[in-house]
């Protein structure tokens, strides 16, 4: 019994710190988005790089929201964020990039995109048991 109590206390403590960390990430992301918005207003112009950065902030907030909602973090979301970040890097630094670096970053984007496809294929072809149970319960409720 003492081991079960300690394990439960450890899980609760870990979940508390996870939640605190997620709140800090969400608040920092909101503040960074605010700063970027104020910078765009001060400059009186919006560039594609600015929009991609704002999109990155929204993706991070979506990822935090999904984690709060489901308690799980889909691996695909950080990969999406990585692709957008690399695309932003290309857009911002295209003038200073040599051909080799541009090809390297482009190849990296393609590799991450392929990783997303492999993960999606694996998820569809070999779904988690929880997903299969949820799908079965939805099908049952739709039939009734």
């Amino acid at each position: 019994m003492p081991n079960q109590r300690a394990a439960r206390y450890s899980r609760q403590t870990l979940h508390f710190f996870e939640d605190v960390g997620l709140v800090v990430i969400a608040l920092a992301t909101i503040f960074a988005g605010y700063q970027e918005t104020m910078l765009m207003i001060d400059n009186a112009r919006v560039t594609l790089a600015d929009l991609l950065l704002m999109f990155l902030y929204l993706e991070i907030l979506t990822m935090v929201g999904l984690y709060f909602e489901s308690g799980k973090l889909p691996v695909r979301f950080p990969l999406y964020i990585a692709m957008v970040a690399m695309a932003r890097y290309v857009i911002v630094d295209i003038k200073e990039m040599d051909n080799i670096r541009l090809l390297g970053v482009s190849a990296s984007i393609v590799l991450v995109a392929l990783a997303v496809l492999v993960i999606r294929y694996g998820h569809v072809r070999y779904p988690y048991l929880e997903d299969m149970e949820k799908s079965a319960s939805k099908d049952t409720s739709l039939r009734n």
Side-chain angles (χ1 to χ4, degrees), residues 72-140:
K72 299 177 189 173
L73 181 63
V75 174
R76 292 185 327 262
F77 273 86
L79 294 177
Y80 295 146
I81 291 170
M83 284 191 294
V84 173
M86 287 186 281
R88 183 181 183 278
Y89 173 66
V90 168
I91 290 168
V92 170
D93 291 338
I94 189 84
K95 291 178 183 171
E96 290 84 30
M97 278 188 175
D98 59 353
N99 291 339
I100 298 296
R101 180 172 289 181
L102 183 59
L103 284 172
V105 174
S106 300
S108 299
I109 293 170
V110 170
L111 286 174
V112 173
L114 288 173
V116 169
L117 286 174
V118 168
I119 290 168
R120 282 294 299 147
Y121 175 77
H123 186 71
V124 169
R125 180 85 169 122
Y126 307 104
Y128 296 117
L129 292 177
E130 306 96 45
D131 292 343
M132 290 172 59
E133 291 169 359
K134 287 179 188 175
S135 177
S137 67
K138 279 185 183 178
D139 289 344
T140 305

Side-chain angles (χ1 to χ4, degrees), residues 22-71:
L22 287 170
V23 168
V24 169
I25 290 169
L27 291 175
T29 304
I30 291 167
F31 185 69
Y34 170 78
Q35 286 179 319
E36 184 65 25
T37 303
M38 290 298 108
L39 189 63
M40 287 186 290
I41 290 170
D42 287 345
N43 292 338
R45 74 177 243 233
V46 179
T47 65
L48 181 59
D50 296 330
L51 294 175
L52 287 173
L53 188 58
M54 296 297 281
F55 183 71
L56 285 170
Y57 294 147
L58 288 174
E59 284 293 321
I60 291 169
L61 288 174
T62 300
M63 192 169 58
V64 169
L66 276 173
Y67 190 83
F68 268 127
E69 194 175 287
S70 69

